Each structure stands twice: as C-alpha cells, then as structure tokens.
Amino acid sequence: MKGSFMSFVRKETLHIVRDPRTMMIVLLMPVIQMVLFGFAISNEVNNIDVAVVAPHPTEAVRQAVERMSSNPYFTFKGYVPGTRVDATLRSGEADAVVVFADDYDRRIGAFSRGEGGEAALQIVFDASDTNTASAGAGYLRGVLLGGMSAASAPETHLLYNPQMKSSYSFVPGIMGMIFMLICAMMTSVSIVREKETGTMEVLLVSPVRPLRIVFAKMIPYFTLSCVNLLTILLLARFVLEVPMSGNLVPIVGLSLLYLVLALAFGLFISTVAERQATALIISAMLLLMPIIMLSGLAFPIENMPGVLQALSCVVPTRWYIEAVRKLMIEGLPLAAVLKELSILAAMTLVLIVVSLRKFNDKLE
Amino acid sequence: MLRILLDKELRQFVRNPFLPKMVVMFPLMVMLVIPWVTTMDVRHINVSVVDNDRSPASRRLIRKIAASDYFTLRSVQEHYAVSLAALDAGDVDAIVELPDGFERSLSGGPSERVRISANGVNAVKGSLGMQYLLQVVNGTLSELRGERGLPPAADPVVVQNRYNPTLDYRHYMIPALMIMLLIMLCGFLPALNMVGEKETGTIEQINVTPVSRLTFTLAKLIPYWVIGLVVLMLAMLLAWLVYGLVPAGSFGAICLAAALFILTMSGIGVVAANHSATMQQTMFVMFFFVMIFVLMSGLITPVESMPEWARWITRFLPPRYFVDAMRSVYLKGSSVAELWPDYAALTLFAVLFNGWAALSYRKQA
C-alpha cells in the first residue's frame, strides 16, 4: 500500500516538474511580488505637486515658496495665474494650489504680531484623494508658514523616523495574500483537472483509498509552498530588512499551518467546481477581493463598520496577517498569538473535514 | 460568419452554470460591500501628552483629548523624550506638548505655543491624527480664550478642499472599484475562454475551417467588451443609487476611457492565452499581472507615495492611466482634452496589445 501511495506522489510530482513554466511562475511570482509590493506599497504621503498663485511675489512670498520647494515632500510646479486654479487641479498638473493674498506681507505681519485679521494665504487642495489632501494640508501649512504663524496657534511637526520604515509594514499582508491565492489555485486546479479529463474515475478504481489520492496530490504542492515560504522569509529578512527578532520558529510554524489551510481551501474549491475554469475563477478572482479588502492588508479592520468586521472574521488571511504582524514586526512571543493560531487550526480542520466529506459523497 | 461564431460564444456563455451568475453577482457584491470597507475614517489614534504646565487649563485640554472618540490617550508624560521613545516604538501615533506657561499665555502672558508632533511614516494615522488634534486643540484654545475675554485666535491659512469637500474617502474608492471589476472580468475571462478552446482541442477544428483568425479572435473578444461595458454601467448605476455619486465630468469621457481600457485588458488576456498551453499557465500569468495592476496602479495606495523606481515601473501599467482618468472625470469633472496624456497612453496600449494578440495567434497555425 505504501508503495502505491509513493507512486501517486511521484506521479503528481512529475506533473509539476513536466510543466516548467508553471513551476517557474509559482516559484518566481512570490519573489517578484514580494520585492515589488514590499518596497512600492506604502501609505506615506509624499511627492505632492504644488502650484502657486502669487499676484505680488514679494520677498516674503518667495521665501515661503522656497521653503516649500526645498522640502522633499513637495514638488514646486511653478506659478500659475489666479484664473487657472481649477484648470491646474483638473488636469492633474498639481495636487494643490497655494494662493497668496495681494497684500500678503501686511496680513502675515498682523498675524505675527498676534492681531489676527483676514487670512494671508489659501491652500486649495484637490481633495478627490482625501488622504493626500488631509495629510498634505496640515503639513503644507507648516512648511509655508515656516514656524511663523499666529502667536497662539499650535505648531505642528511630522516626524519621519528612519527606524520606522514603512517598507515592511505591508510584508505580513503580502505574505498572507500570496500564499493563500497561489496554494488555492494550484491545488484546486490540479484536482479539478483530473475530474474534467476523467482520469479521476481511473484513479478511483485503483486500490488506493480516495483520501490517500488527495493527500498524495497535496504533498508536492506543499513542498513547493515550503520553498516559497523559505524564499519569502529570506527576502523579508535580508532584502526588506524586517527585524524578525528571534521569532523565526513561531513564524515558520504559523506559516506552515497557514499553508496547510490554504491547500485545504484549494481542496474545498475543487469539490465545489466542476471545471478548471470555474476553479480558477473562484480561486483567483473571487478570493482576491475579500483577501485584499477584508484582511486588514490595506484597510485597517478596526475602522470598518461592525457587520464587515464580523465578516472579516471568516477570512483566514485576516488571522494570519494579524499573527505575523505580532510576531514579525512587534516581536512578540508565541503566547501572544495563541488566539490567531487556534482560529487558523480550527479553520484548517473544518475545511479538511468538509472537503473530504464532500469528496467522498461525490465518489459514492 | 462572425454572427454565427458570436452566436456560438453566447450560447456557450449562457449554458455555463457559473459564468452568467458571476458576471452579475460579482459587481453587485463588490459595489455594495467593499465601499464600506474602504473607510479611512481613522479612530483610536494613540496620543501621548507632555504636560509641562500642569495647570487647570492644560488638564482641561488633556480631558478634551481623552474624551474624543478619535483618540486613545496612552500616557501623560513630563518629558518629551519619553513620549518620543513611545512614538519610535510605534505605541504612540502623535504627541501633544503643552509648554510651561501655557495657561499664563492664555491670559495675556508671553505667548507659548502648543506643539503637535505626529508620526509621518504611517501617513494615514499620523497625518490625520495631527489634523484631528489640531481641531481639538484649536477648539479648546478658543474656548479658553473666550472665557478670559480674548478674541478667538484667527488662522492665517484657509484650506479649501475642492471636489470632495466632505473628504468622503468612499467617493475616491468607488471609481477604483469599477476599475478593479473591469481588470478582472475583462482580463481573466477572455484568457480562460481562449485557452479553453486549446485545451479541449476545438481550436484545431476551428483552424481547419475557412474562418479567418481575425474573425475568430473578434468573436472571442466582442462578448467580453459587451460584458465589460454592461458591468461598468451597472456599477455606475449602483454608485448613483446607493452612494449618490454621479460623475462630475462627461459620461462620454468615462465610456471612452473604459472602452480603451477594456480593449487593452482583453488584449492582454488573449496574449497570455496565446503564449500558454494550459489553463493553469494562462491563469498564473494573468494572475501575476492582475495583482501588479491592482496593487501598483494607484487603486489602493497612491502612485505618488512610491519610490522613484517603482513609479517608473507604473508608467508601463495600463490601469494606472485609466485610474487617473476615471477618478479625474468622476470627481473633478476633467475633460478628455485636459487628460490627453492618459487617453493617449490608453490608446497606445490598446493598439499594442491587440496587435500583439493578433500576431501571436497567427504563429500557431
């Protein structure tokens, strides 16, 4: 019996190895995506393009503009006439237009003496991108006034701490997303293909039990996923410089569990889908949305309405990301992620049991 | 000839137990659920206060901050360094410093200003936190000054948020969600359909018929162009009914951009299918690009926030131009003329990928 099980594993492995293109994609895709997204995706607000309207470019105005253009977060796009404010924003030439008052010097002087009066400058922001607008407006104001403002108004500073690079704040999210989608796609397709081509029937009349066939299918994919996990962890550590302080064992353990969960998810999809195309659409398209949107990858779960917070609880990626964040980025010990760990384990168990049930029902 | 083939495609589509349902349900789900997810209304901003005044006035300001829904007051310190260390460790998003003499300055003493520092690395929490804190501090300052018979502090800067005065993040995301729908439906589906003929071997049969390759490819693509436009209309209708969002610009400008983008996306799908032997290969290749499209085109995080090299890469991503055009037309009411670079880029991509699709199909004869 053992020999035939091993021959099944060999058969599946050959399937994978004979299709070098898919194997290359499966192994290289996570690497490229990890590097691209790890470095490229950030919530930082910078490179804000600013145009200026200055009817009387006095020395004080020029100094304010100079302060702004020498600031790394703003790009000075030049002076525009007051009539073109809207056009400049609409065409996307600038994200914001700063309008200096005609008698800027007099008004700003009044403010610095604490007298108040009419506003000395106006910042018109393209608020279609609300984040850039609300984050940029406060910062721009500080830079333009350059510490010179109403005597009683609060000073504001944005601190950019080199130790807190955001380059790796998305790493747990990217890991959770890549593993889930790739594993689900691989396993669901390989099982459904057997169904579609009719080879499943042939396998089932063989003396090997259906359960074993399924496990034999999983083993090579699990091995592939482990290679992916290794490369991703190495990238995270040495390329994206995630500190992973002495937490390697829990991270690996948790990730292995998550890989099994993702493979089980693929298995589950394969019991639902009758055709490869359907399996692929479910695992690549329908899963992509909830995984990106409801897992806390891009949008913090704590800010969602209650109903959606509840909904996000069924997305396994959510728990994995939370746990990896705690272990990898906050450097907490394994004890801190017991909740996430048990939820993931329970989900894995349920998925495997349900899928095998359905699988067996189909066969009889 | 094309009519007959289109008829075949339509029948196959309708007969499929899964596809028609998905084409209707997927946009509905995405448009009804996801906008509620994409709220950037930040709560639970962790604040540390450095109180060097320890006066009734400073305590009142601290109470105000603690009482707000938006803030979690983590600590009140006596030294800025302690709070800064907490910010470095990520426990605190913003620091409010109340200077010694804060209360005296309210009653005509030498002016001492409140300092607000925020973590700018996490732009969302840090910068928004600063905005909210500024409002609370200014509000409290005005109250305190008012009680002492002083005029409220005026502000030398007026900020005007144009095109989205209420700063509703949902309005920013809805056009992006429409784009995501189009990326997926018009990319994945034609690719799968095309490679499906290959896997089942029916493509051989088509190849020996007098059907020209162009006719065959068109018959494959036209249904998805129609589906794409129908889905877009449905999504726009939902955006109006559910979220009250109507395009500020012309409907034609949106349709033109969408048509060009759908052409591009389905072209990419066919190219991927033509260069693959199996469904799995096609899907993995498509998936790779779709992920990059979704995450790097400015749909979720702004392109401006990326490093130089990543921004350079985004120039080669068709959705980047569509995202920009769609949001500008939808929210700012920009015209095609104002956005000509976007439209030119989309046209170029459409020509490029559909040309490639036609050529790569010919190679397999």
Side-chain angles (χ1 to χ4, degrees), chain B residues 178-217:
Chain B
M178 296 175 186
I179 294 170
M180 269 190 218
L181 286 172
L182 293 182
I183 288 178
M184 292 195 199
L185 290 168
C186 301
F188 282 135
L189 299 184
L192 281 176
N193 186 339
M194 200 82 183
V195 81
E197 298 265 7
K198 238 192 248 189
E199 268 206 340
T200 50
T202 42
I203 205 157
E204 303 297 330
Q205 293 165 17
I206 302 266
N207 282 347
V208 294
T209 58
V211 174
S212 80
R213 308 187 189 297
L214 182 69
T215 315
F216 176 71
T217 311

Side-chain angles (χ1 to χ4, degrees), chain B residues 156-311:
Chain B
V157 181
V158 181
V159 176
Q160 188 198 67
N161 287 314
R162 208 165 278 193
Y163 314 122
N164 189 353
T166 53
L167 288 182
D168 188 342
Y169 191 71
R170 238 177 270 145
H171 289 183
Y172 180 63
M173 277 313 288
I174 286 169
L177 291 175
M178 296 175 186
I179 294 170
M180 269 190 218
L181 286 172
L182 293 182
I183 288 178
M184 292 195 199
L185 290 168
C186 301
F188 282 135
L189 299 184
L192 281 176
N193 186 339
M194 200 82 183
V195 81
E197 298 265 7
K198 238 192 248 189
E199 268 206 340
T200 50
T202 42
I203 205 157
E204 303 297 330
Q205 293 165 17
I206 302 266
N207 282 347
V208 294
T209 58
V211 174
S212 80
R213 308 187 189 297
L214 182 69
T215 315
F216 176 71
T217 311
L218 271 179
K220 283 275 172 223
L221 288 179
I222 289 172
Y224 295 103
W225 296 342
V226 175
I227 287 174
L229 285 172
V230 168
V231 164
L232 179 70
M233 295 306 131
L234 178 69
M236 283 174 76
L237 189 69
L238 284 173
W240 172 56
L241 290 174
V242 181
Y243 307 101
L245 184 66
V246 281
S250 78
F251 185 68
I254 289 178
C255 288
L256 177 63
L260 287 170
F261 181 71
I262 290 169
L263 277 175
T264 307
M265 207 58 224
S266 53
I268 293 173
V270 173
V271 169
N274 284 346
H275 287 289
S276 314
T278 65
M279 264 195 191
Q280 201 175 354
Q281 281 180 0
T282 313
M283 206 59 177
F284 270 109
V285 173
M286 280 309 286
F287 175 71
F288 178 67
F289 286 106
V290 164
M291 290 277 279
I292 291 178
F293 286 174
V294 167
L295 290 168
M296 287 184 70
S297 300
L299 282 168
I300 297 174
T301 52
V303 173
E304 280 79 29
S305 69
M306 296 178 185
E308 192 69 47
W309 59 268
R311 264 183 297 158

Side-chain angles (χ1 to χ4, degrees), chain A residues 45-204:
Chain A
V45 174
N46 54 23
N47 304 312
I48 299 177
D49 295 333
V50 186
V52 173
V53 176
H56 297 293
T58 58
E59 188 53 35
V61 171
R62 270 202 297 274
Q63 274 173 6
V65 173
E66 178 54 38
R67 269 197 303 275
M68 177 188 80
S69 46
S70 61
N71 186 295
Y73 291 92
F74 300 103
T75 312
F76 175 49
K77 286 294 196 181
Y79 291 97
V80 292
T83 48
R84 288 207 65 244
V85 172
D86 207 40
T88 309
L89 292 175
R90 267 212 313 267
S91 61
E93 288 164 60
D95 304 313
V97 180
V98 175
V99 184
F100 287 89
D102 281 348
D103 49 353
Y104 172 78
D105 291 22
R106 192 184 58 75
R107 292 190 188 185
I108 204 79
F111 272 103
S112 57
R113 290 190 300 274
E115 292 163 17
E118 286 174 284
L121 53 88
Q122 188 191 29
I123 299 176
V124 184
F125 238 99
D126 167 4
S128 58
D129 176 357
T130 52
N131 274 347
T132 308
S134 47
Y139 195 32
L140 186 54
R141 148 209 242 106
V143 170
L144 285 167
L145 294 174
M148 195 317 308
S149 76
S152 58
E155 266 180 71
T156 52
H157 300 270
L158 270 188
L159 308 172
Y160 286 89
N161 178 339
Q163 293 166 357
M164 276 196 60
K165 274 200 322 215
S166 65
S167 79
Y168 56 70
S169 62
F170 277 93
V171 167
I174 296 163
M175 282 171 69
M177 178 176 70
I178 292 178
F179 289 147
M180 183 52 108
L181 291 164
I182 289 183
C183 292
M185 275 165 82
M186 283 191 310
T187 41
S188 63
V189 160
S190 79
I191 296 177
V192 175
R193 189 194 304 129
E194 303 261 16
K195 275 205 235 174
E196 219 180 356
T197 51
T199 43
M200 206 57 169
E201 307 297 323
V202 180
L203 289 181
L204 296 176

Side-chain angles (χ1 to χ4, degrees), chain A residues 281 285-286 289, chain B residues 13 17-34 181 185 189 227 230-231 234-235 238:
Chain A
I281 288 172
M285 251 172 93
L286 298 185
M289 270 300 196
Chain B
F13 177 79
F18 176 71
L19 278 180
K21 276 190 218 140
M22 199 201 66
V23 166
V24 178
M25 289 308 293
F26 189 53
L28 274 174
M29 291 281 296
V30 168
M31 292 305 295
L32 293 176
V33 175
I34 306 292
L181 286 172
L185 290 168
L189 299 184
I227 287 174
V230 168
V231 164
L234 178 69
L238 284 173

Side-chain angles (χ1 to χ4, degrees), chain B residues 2-30:
Chain B
L2 184 63
R3 264 226 339 264
I4 299 167
L5 280 174
L6 279 174
D7 187 53
K8 157 194 168 271
E9 289 297 328
L10 186 71
R11 277 165 199 266
Q12 279 187 327
F13 177 79
V14 174
R15 246 196 357 227
N16 186 305
F18 176 71
L19 278 180
K21 276 190 218 140
M22 199 201 66
V23 166
V24 178
M25 289 308 293
F26 189 53
L28 274 174
M29 291 281 296
V30 168

